[in-house]
Amino acid sequence: MKITTVIPAYKSQYLMELLASLAQQTEPPERIIFSDDSPDQSFTSMLTSEPLQSLIGHLNVTVLPGTRRGAYANWSQCINAWGGQTELVHILCDDDLIYPQFYARHRHAHMTGNFSSTVSRRWYANEAGQPVNKSLTLPEAVDLHPQRLLSLDANTLFVSTVGRAANWLGEVSNTVMRAEAANLIVQRQVDGISIAGLEDLAAFICGARERPLCYINEHLGCFRQNAGQNSAKGASAAMKCSIMGYLGLALIGLRRGLISEEHAHYCFELVGQNVLWHYRDEADTQAIRDTLPALIAGAPGADERYLQAWHDFVAAHGHY
């Protein structure tokens, strides 16, 4: 099975380490596509000039100009540029690193079954790319499972993520997807409900409705922590979307019968109170905050009122 790596590129200071992690793969990807959204097109100038051009010739690299319309547009361009030309696609963020057996293990996992996505464990890393003593908190049944490959259905995934209002799976950089999962990121909605801010998590768990997700219980990469990340900017539109997006996912899961009323209410309560407190002075969340008490209380029609406010917020801020 062939894999294409697509890189929504913006932070060029990590390019050499990124290329090194790709060059060291025991089974490299079929093709690598950069979408250069950097302000000065620095990825393009570096990748198309010597000596880098000769050094990466064997990696089959293509560089496209970015959209200059925000992170989501750049992600979408990457996926559309892949266009299903290989069976599998890996969206690799420019500041993350993958270990030498990343593609070999993900390819092997896909070949053992009919999966929508394969997700591997990963470490957190500091600015220098060194793993630190911090990782995602996995459900105990997964963390201590003796098998390396676990097949997980949509119900299990919704309950263990949205039902806990926590993402233990990670992001796109530690995932290799089939087209139906990757295309959910471009579509950015499921059942008419926006998944902005949690496009990756939504693709994993909603994509598993047709084909299960395979979890690879091995650390095959690291998530680099740095000041330029959205998670470091609590008041940013991207961070607000990533928090409030859980409420939309809970409604998707509830309407599809993938989580119970109790799990959905837990998510509404936990996330809703978080938004009401932390964004209490943020004018752009006022319309959403006005709907949350009724949503938390389970009042009739509260879900539709919340969704209208949520979609208005995404329309105004969802470009990131």
Side-chain angles (χ1 to χ4, degrees):
M1 301 182 76
K2 295 179 179 179
I3 301 173
T4 295
T5 301
V6 297
I7 301 171
Y10 186 78
K11 299 183 281 291
S12 59
Q13 66 266 37
Y14 303 116
L15 176 59
M16 297 306 294
E17 295 166 53
L18 180 68
L19 290 175
S21 73
L22 289 166
Q24 293 296 322
Q25 291 297 307
T26 59
E27 295 182 13
E30 183 75 8
R31 186 183 181 196
I32 300 169
I33 303 173
F34 282 84
S35 180
D36 184 1
D37 224 30
S38 61
D40 57 356
Q41 295 291 278
S42 52
F43 283 92
T44 302
S45 60
M46 294 170 71
L47 290 166
T48 58
S49 303
E50 297 296 350
L52 261 187
Q53 190 171 31
S54 296
L55 292 172
I56 63 173
H58 65 292
L59 291 178
N60 191 16
V61 174
T62 300
V63 188
L64 306 173
T67 62
R68 304 294 183 89
R69 291 187 288 111
Y72 164 66
N74 204 33
W75 278 38
S76 296
Q77 171 163 283
C78 281
I79 296 169
N80 290 332
W82 159 64
Q85 295 176 42
T86 55
E87 298 97 323
L88 305 169
V89 64
H90 175 217
I91 307 168
L92 177 58
C93 296
D94 55 18
D95 52 359
D96 291 332
L97 296 171
I98 53 176
Y99 301 156
Q101 285 194 306
F102 181 89
Y103 291 114
R105 297 297 295 141
H106 277 267
R107 183 181 286 111
H108 169 74
H110 270 284
M111 292 177 68
T112 65
N114 189 13
F115 300 112
S116 57
S117 302
T118 53
V119 178
S120 55
R121 296 183 74 157
R122 44 84 163 159
W123 294 109
Y124 280 90
N126 60 21
E127 178 76 15
Q130 299 169 321
V132 296
N133 187 22
K134 178 183 179 184
S135 62
L136 294 169
T137 303
L138 273 62
E140 186 175 358
V142 174
D143 188 31
L144 302 179
H145 202 285
Q147 295 183 1
R148 291 187 176 186
L149 302 181
L150 304 177
S151 178
L152 304 174
D153 61 21
N155 179 266
T156 300
L157 293 168
F158 262 91
V159 170
S160 63
T161 58
V162 179
R164 297 167 58 221
N167 178 8
W168 61 270
L169 291 166
E171 293 78 27
V172 288
S173 289
N174 58 300
T175 305
V176 173
M177 294 179 276
R178 288 186 180 271
E180 64 261 32
N183 287 337
L184 286 175
I185 295 175
V186 177
Q187 295 163 11
R188 218 185 194 189
Q189 61 85 27
V190 174
D191 299 341
I193 297 176
S194 174
I195 57 173
L198 290 175
E199 294 94 341
D200 44 12
L201 177 61
F204 306 159
I205 65 178
C206 293
R209 188 183 185 193
E210 300 300 326
R211 311 188 212 199
L213 176 148
C214 179
Y215 191 73
I216 305 173
N217 220 343
E218 302 175 50
H219 290 87
L220 296 176
C222 60
F223 175 84
R224 189 198 306 257
Q225 297 175 295
N226 61 81
Q229 288 170 332
N230 290 324
S231 56
K233 305 170 184 176
S236 68
M239 194 60 186
K240 289 174 182 175
C241 283
S242 70
I243 292 172
M244 295 186 292
Y246 276 102
L247 301 174
L249 283 179
L251 290 171
I252 292 169
L254 190 60
R255 294 176 179 185
R256 287 190 172 197
L258 296 170
I259 55 174
S260 65
E261 293 276 359
E262 290 75 17
H263 283 119
H265 182 264
Y266 178 85
C267 182
F268 295 154
E269 175 78 25
L270 186 65
V271 176
Q273 295 296 349
N274 187 2
V275 172
L276 287 170
W277 174 254
H278 288 288
Y279 297 137
R280 62 191 182 280
D281 297 323
E282 301 284 333
D284 60 350
T285 66
Q286 183 65 59
I288 285 179
R289 285 184 283 116
D290 288 343
T291 71
L292 289 178
L295 184 68
I296 294 170
D303 54 346
E304 292 298 338
R305 290 190 290 274
Y306 168 75
L307 288 176
Q308 182 59 59
W310 167 235
H311 289 158
D312 289 344
F313 183 90
V314 171
H317 302 286
H319 57 83
Y320 304 154

